[in-house]
Every structure is written in structure tokens, then in C-alpha cells.
């Protein structure tokens, strides 16, 4: 059974950076894409980007280009999401989620992390 | 504004059927059979209910079904139960610069 476990809640000031981790277990880490998805309070889901844990290749949402970086540590089966120049409207629950196998097509998410609340407050 | 358009809310009585629509464009819903549907209860992570337009993951009730016509995908829930009350989101692969797009979500109320 796949599992994604994320780091704990964060409170940051505007302009700061936050780094959220996501440790995968129960499957071969390098065989599946990892997405990051966020959800502002009372709002819908927003796709932030995707990382291929095998080669580290990434694609980011156009809206977040220049502020977000996704990386991975294959030895730790962990992916990281770094968001810089935080604004009040970055306050959200941030989810890592497992996407399709890297050698297949599709876009569905079958496993989600528990979510990490990032609060941006002065 | 979300890339995919869903109704804000739908409702139905126990035992009835409801359908939630998800409208996109030929660059996403209409162009690929990679539409997924997620159920989210308050305070919980989303759960995959349908993928690749009409496929059900193991463990998901066959009361949930998906379909697509042109640029609009649909999720139908038959035999409504109280536990189905939740928010539902559609998503699709997109050929735009973003890899995936979500709908704005639909709140299902079981009367």
C-alpha cells in the first residue's frame, strides 16, 4: 500500500520561503510521478507542478513559475516543494500526490499525502 | 477562475441519481481520455473515484460512473447515500503549459 507522509504545518511571514517534504513508501519511488496540489481555505484544488522522481525533471504551473522549485532525494524516497516570496494568498493546504507511472500516459492521482497547512501571516 | 467548469452545487434525495458536469475545451477534456473525478470530505484529502473518463479504482462503489461527450465530462452517482455528501472535483490532462487542470468543485448535498 503506497503512502505519502508530509512535513508539519508552517507559519511564515510575507516574503519568506517555505519548504515542504513528502516521503513516499510502499512502492518503487522512481516509477511514479509526484504532483503538488494546493487548496486555499474554502477553495478548490490548484495544480502546482509535477516531478519525475527518476530524472528529477519538473513542470510547474505557469502561475507559479519563478517562485516554486520541486526536487527529490532518491536515497530518502522524498520529494520537496520550495515556494519563495510568499504572499498572503499562498495560505493553503499543500498536498503531494502520486500520479501515473512514468512510463505510461494519463494524469490521475491515486494516493495523496495528508496535507501540510502553510499559513502566511504578518 | 478554474480551467474546467463545474456547477457549484447539486443535490438529491437518498436513492436518487445525480450527474455532475465538467466542461473544458479541445485542449483538455475534449482532446484526451484522461479525465478524473475526486471526492473530498471536509478536512480530508481528496479520493480518486474515476480515472481515464470511466474507469473505477479498486474499492470504489459501482454506483459511481463516468462518461464524456465532446468537451464535457460527467460523473453520475446512482442510489445516493448520505455518505456521498462531499465536494467533487474533476481534472484533466491538458496540452497547455500546465500538465493538469482542475474544475472549481461541486458541493453535493444529500437531502
Amino acid at each position: 500500500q503506497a503512502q505519502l507522509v508530509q512535513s508539519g504545518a508552517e507559519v511564515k511571514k510575507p516574503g519568506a520561503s517555505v519548504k515542504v517534504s513528502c516521503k513516499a513508501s510502499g512502492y518503487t519511488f522512481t516509477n511514479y510521478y509526484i504532483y503538488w496540489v494546493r487548496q486555499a481555505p474554502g477553495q478548490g484544488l490548484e495544480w502546482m507542478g509535477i516531478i519525475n522522481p527518476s530524472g528529477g525533471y519538473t513542470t510547474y504551473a505557469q502561475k507559479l513559475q519563478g517562485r516554486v522549485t520541486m526536487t527529490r532525494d532518491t536515497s530518502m524516497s522524498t520529494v520537496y516543494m520550495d515556494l519563495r516570496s510568499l504572499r498572503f494568498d499562498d495560505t493553503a493546504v499543500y498536498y503531494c500526490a502520486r500520479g501515473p507511472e512514468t512510463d505510461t500516459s494519463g494524469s490521475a492521482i491515486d494516493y495523496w499525502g495528508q496535507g501540510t497547512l502553510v499559513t502566511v501571516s504578518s | 477562475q478554474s480551467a474546467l467548469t463545474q456547477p457549484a452545487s447539486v443535490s438529491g434525495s437518498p436513492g436518487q441519481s445525480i450527474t455532475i458536469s465538467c466542461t473544458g475545451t479541445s485542449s483538455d477534456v475534449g482532446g484526451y481520455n484522461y479525465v478524473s473525478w475526486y471526492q473530498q470530505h471536509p478536512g480530508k484529502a481528496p479520493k480518486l473515484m474515476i480515472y481515464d473518463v470511466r474507469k473505477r479504482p479498486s474499492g470504489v462503489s459501482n454506483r459511481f460512473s463516468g462518461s464524456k461527450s465532446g468537451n464535457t465530462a460527467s460523473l453520475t452517482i446512482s442510489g445516493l447515500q448520505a455518505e456521498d455528501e462531499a465536494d467533487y472535483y474533476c481534472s484533466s490532462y491538458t496540452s497547455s503549459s500546465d500538465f493538469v487542470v482542475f474544475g472549481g468543485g461541486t458541493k453535493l448535498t444529500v437531502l
Side-chain angles (χ1 to χ4, degrees):
Chain A
Q1 178 83 345
Q3 190 174 17
L4 301 171
V5 178
Q6 299 181 222
S7 50
E10 304 262 14
V11 180
K12 297 291 183 180
K13 293 190 182 305
S17 297
V18 68
K19 192 168 188 174
V20 180
S21 67
C22 170
K23 183 172 178 60
S25 62
Y27 71 97
T28 301
F29 175 66
T30 51
N31 284 2
Y32 291 80
Y33 291 109
I34 292 288
Y35 296 166
W36 286 90
V37 176
R38 69 179 180 179
Q39 186 171 34
Q43 302 301 309
L45 303 171
E46 179 185 10
W47 184 80
M48 299 179 65
I50 182 174
I51 182 167
N52 180 336
S54 179
Y57 309 112
T58 55
T59 298
Y60 303 131
Q62 196 167 21
K63 173 183 176 180
L64 296 172
Q65 288 274 1
R67 288 207 300 136
V68 68
T69 302
M70 297 172 189
T71 56
R72 94 289 189 218
D73 181 338
T74 55
S75 69
M76 299 285 290
S77 297
T78 299
V79 296
Y80 303 92
M81 187 283 298
D82 189 354
L83 187 61
R84 303 175 291 280
S85 302
L86 288 168
R87 309 189 290 236
F88 292 118
D89 63 359
D90 289 319
T91 293
V93 174
Y94 288 75
Y95 292 103
C96 64
R98 194 180 82 165
E101 289 184 80
T102 55
D103 62 353
T104 65
S105 52
S107 63
I109 295 170
D110 58 357
Y111 289 94
W112 296 71
Q114 82 276 20
T116 296
L117 176 61
V118 175
T119 303
V120 182
S121 174
S122 55
Chain B
Q1 187 172 353
S2 302
L4 305 180
T5 301
Q6 298 180 233
S9 63
V10 298
S11 62
S13 299
Q16 288 186 330
S17 295
I18 64 94
T19 296
I20 299 171
S21 62
C22 171
T23 301
T25 69
S26 58
S27 296
D28 39 65
V29 174
Y32 307 91
N33 289 323
Y34 298 136
V35 176
S36 305
W37 290 91
Y38 302 91
Q39 176 192 67
Q40 187 180 35
H41 287 110
K44 300 294 188 183
K47 174 187 176 183
L48 179 65
M49 305 303 284
I50 296 287
Y51 68 100
D52 294 354
V53 176
R54 61 182 71 250
K55 297 177 182 177
R56 265 191 319 274
S58 174
V60 172
S61 170
N62 59 9
R63 298 186 298 105
F64 292 83
S65 62
S67 63
K68 189 184 83 167
S69 177
N71 294 336
T72 298
S74 298
L75 172 71
T76 298
I77 308 173
S78 59
L80 269 180
Q81 299 178 359
E83 69 207 48
D84 299 332
E85 186 164 292
D87 293 325
Y88 291 84
Y89 294 91
C90 63
S91 77
S92 174
Y93 169 80
T94 174
S95 58
S96 74
S97 55
D98 289 3
F99 186 83
V100 168
V101 290
F102 283 100
T106 298
K107 181 175 180 59
L108 169 61
T109 301
V110 180
L111 302 171

